[in-house]
Amino acid sequence: MNQDLRREREGASFNPELLTHVLDGSPENTRRRREIENLILNDPDFQHEDLNFLSRSQRYEVAVKKSASMVKKMREFGIADPEEIVWFKKIHLVNFVEPVNLNFSMFIPTLLNQGTTAQQEKWLLSCKGLEIIGTYAQTEMGHGTHLRGLETTATYDPETQEFILNSPTVTSIKWWPGGLGKTSNHAIVLAQLITKGKCYGLHAFIVPIREIGTHKPLPGITVGDIGPKFGYDEMDNGYLKMDNYRIPRENMLMKYAQVKPDGTYVKPVSNKLTYGTMVFVRSFLVGEAARSLSKACTIAIRYSAVRHQSELKPGEPEPQILDFQTQQYKLFPLLATAYAFQFVGAYMKETYHRINEDIGQGDLSELPELHALTAGLKAFTSWTTNAAIEACRMACGGHGYSHCSGLPNIYVNFTPTCTFEGENTVMMLQTARFLMKSYDQVHSGKLMCGMVSYLNDLPSQRIQPQQVAVWPTVVDIDSPDSLTEAYKLRAARLVEIAAKNLQNEVIHRESKEVAWNLTSIDLVRASEAHCHYVVVKLFSEKLLKIQDKSIHTVLKNLCLLYCLYGVSQKAGDFLQGGIMTESQITQVNQRIKELLTVIRPDAVALVDAFDFQDVTLGSVLGRYDGNVYENLFEWAKKSPLNKAEVHESYHKYLKPLQSKL
Amino acid sequence: MGSPVHQVSLGDTWSRQVNPDIERERNIQSFNVERLTNILDGRAENTALRRKVESIIHSDPKCSLKDNYFMTQNECYEAAIQRKFHIQTIAKCLGWSENSPEFFYAYRAVSGEVALTTHSVFLQALRSLGSEEQIAKWAPLCNNFQIITTYAQTELGHGTYLQGLETEATYDAATQEFVVHSPTMTATKWWPGDLGRSATHALVQAQLICSGARQGMHAFIVPIRSLEDHTPLPGITVGDIGPKMGFDCTDHGFLRLDHVRIPRDNMLSRFAQVLPDGTYLELGKLQINYLSMVITRVNLLWGEVTPILQKACVIAIRYSVIRRQSCLRPSDPEAKVLDHQTQQQKLFPQLATAYAFHFLTSNLLEFFHSSYDAILNKDFSLLSELHALSSGLKAMASDLCSWGTELCRKACGGHGYSKLSGLPSLVARVTAACTYEGDNTVLYLQMARFLEKNYLQAQASQDSTSQRSLPQSVAYLTAADLAKCPAQKAADFLHPQLYTKAWAHVAARLIKDSAHHLQTLMQSGADRYEAWNQTTVMHVQAAKAHCHYVSVKNFTETLDKLENEPAIQQVLKRLCDLYALHGILTNSGDFLHDGFLSGAQVDAVRTAYLDLLPLIRKDAILLTDAFDFMDQSLNSALGCYDGNVYERLFEWAQRSPTNTQGNPAYEKYLRPLLQSSRAKL
């Protein structure tokens, strides 16, 4: 092992293993996760190609190969628990991108949610056995987040009892669905249902797209891959154009709405339950943000302990770059953020499961808040993580730009999270809608509960209008609880400003929608402040549950750093709201620098605790043993450009260039 | 309307017709777009010349970029070499000389997607560091491509910190040769462009050792590949460093030297010389080594970083008037996304930044040229300011342009993630600039050292009678300062003088604070190095504020020069206002901190800022048209002039190799999978 890393690990103030247990939820979880990981690592069938040296088509091929073998392996190892499947796939697929995945993550669940019992009986067995591979086709070339705008039509023909699916315009071509380009032979297509000359809005249809046996597109179907992307090379995101393509009436998923053989439309009872899937996916994405950021921090911090650069004092050997204040200032707040998001992710998962049970018992009361919260937190954590991964990459200097660092891959595969499953700005505005509604309710005398209960305490809600005086100005910058209060005040203030500006615009504008648009910057700001408060609050509360003293100490420092760094970045809000004074902000900035020094000796142990295997990191810079440079050289030699000693373009172009001129 | 050059279509049937959504945007012309293009180009003659070059380049299908997104790294490299070859052939035919504007415009036309770009870095370094004889000997060889050259500085274990480089050049007086050697693994040269597969000669930066003494970094011309068959010469291990986030067209390389001998004349000796007997002669300041870096940084901002943000703005803003999403009024059709306030808030500050940096780097370039000759003649009085400015502004521009380009990409939603949008490649390219040619943090700190020095000097001269004037860019450190901003209402914040002063105030305060903090730590017993490290976060913040001030001030001065163009002045002033106010809002804590702005004033800034958005909205498309990028250079399905986004996207995607080359994965893996399951059922 690299001497620097050895020293770092020996100097840590706590045992990272204990922290790993906290992150996994329990020592038992850690044990089982490692057991599954080792099953793969010790499996001779498990071959790990370096994807970086392959073309896109080759990467797709590798992913399909792995998808195929995975089905067998999971059966062999008896892995069926959803959590364990995720662990398994993560280590198996490295980039966690799997063309066949949509079959399991979208096709089957949609069938289960929206198909009748008869439909489930007909289709389910063949999809679970992968006789058919399905995908889910919703987004169109011209229409994304705003669902009602989708143009694909499904017109019922009572004579033949068929639906005619059609893509009437270029913008209506289905675009982006994963696994659609090359892999799937069926798709659940979302289309505007038209029967008896009337449009009834979006419904789901099972559409066969490729012939069983030959895999050729069926007549009337144009299907293909949408071409190269920033990342997700292994995924065949596809397009689908349907040209008056007929499917039997029974292929419409009819658990809720129905079309009778004569074309009569029967309305669904309620569709509130579809919230559930979205909430699940978004809360999963919060966890993904935490994991991606944790990986990036692991790589950047280990490398910063190995890399030596420049001088602090003349004549002394070059120090580890992790000893530079600027490097600590770049990385440690991100490390703190990674921990914060880990705990938020765990909280979201628990809450989802808890509320899911409530829903099972018919209690939907908490769903609106959870829906609003997951939307905002998905946006908040993915935006932050997006920028943070890039910051980690740049903190690795030039080598961060090479694929050997693994960081470009982490980045390009994470960044679509900002736009898919609901574009982030739209998500923030959904949260804002909930905040505005809550604000109005408090105004009309109702008390709010949950994360927005602070709105009950707004100065404008108090009997005596004493405005500024009610804000407590004494924030204890060493107390996570007191800082949580400060974030709460900031959120309350920005929610109130947005609400008042909105009211003001509503009076002056022709429609509510116009007023909403003209306040949307304020609204997004309010949502961000609300989400920031929630993250701070969850991190502080997590501290109370930590038993081990050494772990508690180190997590408390991270929590403080997370809170104070945010204050420093948003100092304007805290000053303008009278929540903190100028001298307090100066103290905050000073305290941040002290915390950097305090966290420094534990930095490597803190990333070790994330417990990523080298294969999962996919990084030469982030190797556990720290032997960076030797391996970097070995890695580069494998580059396709190095295959021949003299590249063929020399003979084709360079040589003629030299002689011609 | 527009120039005919814009209208050159890609030969697609639909591009004969302009999408009405974008056509309408061009109907109201509040200013003359062509005139603004001329201003951006410097003058009308430049615009004409640029268009001529661009149309020559684009009429040659071999220079096309269209298939780039479908290529492997190997294919990209080969295409880039081919493109270089064709441009060189065209240049020869038409008599374009090296370093002529024609070459610059040709480079712009192919968006920098050509090989052998480090060749010119070598030439620049040769001209700055070489003696007249050396220039006379090597420059023609370069210009005629008899040799292909690269500049090898960075090592595997060492980057920005020059003195840490390990490669050695030891003088052997017996043979009058230098022995160039990589003593360790970490000494391997790593990252130089064109080194991996192309270059025949490298300018190697190495520690000079002569007569047993280490003399610091010097530059040596080292032949690395045979001019006969291109194989590596004895003692040389050379190759490509492997796949990267972007720059597939460039073969960044590694180089290990095993006691390679080169003649004494191969050390560049304008500023230092080794005599045959091994005597070392210094003919200028060591600092001069920085000169070639300064040149590279200034060119980088002008030719690479700023245009990328401009292109990203063109693509994102054009797409945002085609893309429709959600209804703003219940009865209306879905609105153009550019009419959403949140979209304006994302894109317009980027557009303003793109203009700000255009004028900033163009002035920096001018400053550079005016001081360059003096420096070559060994007058170093302007070098430290030039070095500080080029360092700090490189850091700020690459930071903000990377951030802005990525923001434009995300603002295009899902389609921004497709390479066919052109944006991922722009992001991957511009972000590299944050770490190459000096890591940004280190560069900010170089700027900070300059600021600290000048601040202390300003303090000293205030106390004494000797009034030495400060360099121009920091003269404000001694100017009268206000304790509080005098603005009373939102409209007051639309006065360039007012917000320039505000930025000067904040920059000066942060410089003062960090200098004092450093002093305090030193007085309490810390040595200077420890104290410096403990205040670097503050110093970086101060340097950033200073850079921001410089860019705001420069933008307002550009406006002053446009008195004869009132319409253009007005539209640019809005961008200048937006740029300055956006900066104040994102850093409002710094302005509130010492009470310079009150809470009410920050609210007024916000009001002024929000009111600017709809004004800029009206001119947004014309402002992007004025950059005058041809569709072929943008190479984007979303950003074409005619706005036919979806048709182009669909047509282009179908040409992807994943669609045209069959599906081997199906035969190999999917079919067996499907069938094995069926057998079981």
Side-chain angles (χ1 to χ4, degrees), chain A residues 83-111:
Chain A
E83 183 97 342
E84 296 191 347
I85 290 176
V86 171
W87 288 339
F88 185 87
K89 287 187 173 180
K90 225 176 279 165
I91 191 116
H92 192 78
L93 294 162
V94 186
N95 281 345
F96 204 42
V97 176
E98 183 198 2
V100 184
N101 188 43
L102 272 282
N103 188 52
F104 298 102
S105 67
M106 290 302 290
F107 192 87
I108 296 179
T110 310
L111 193 60

Side-chain angles (χ1 to χ4, degrees), chain A residues 61 401 411 513 582 644 652, chain B residues 78 197 328 406 593 668:
Chain A
E61 196 176 317
Y401 192 70
Y411 184 71
E513 286 78 5
E582 285 145 29
K652 282 198 208 161
Chain B
E78 189 168 326
R197 305 275 77 187
L328 289 182
E406 176 64 353
H593 191 86
K668 282 196 217 162

Side-chain angles (χ1 to χ4, degrees), chain A residues 59-70:
Chain A
R59 286 173 83 147
Y60 165 69
E61 196 176 317
V62 169
V64 170
K65 181 181 160 192
K66 285 186 171 177
S67 289
S69 78
M70 210 160 57

Side-chain angles (χ1 to χ4, degrees), chain A residues 180-201:
Chain A
L180 173 63
K182 306 262 99 183
T183 313
S184 304
N185 52 23
H186 284 69
I188 288 180
V189 171
L190 248 67
Q192 303 284 357
L193 167 65
I194 299 167
T195 179
K196 294 191 165 175
K198 203 175 159 209
C199 180
Y200 289 95

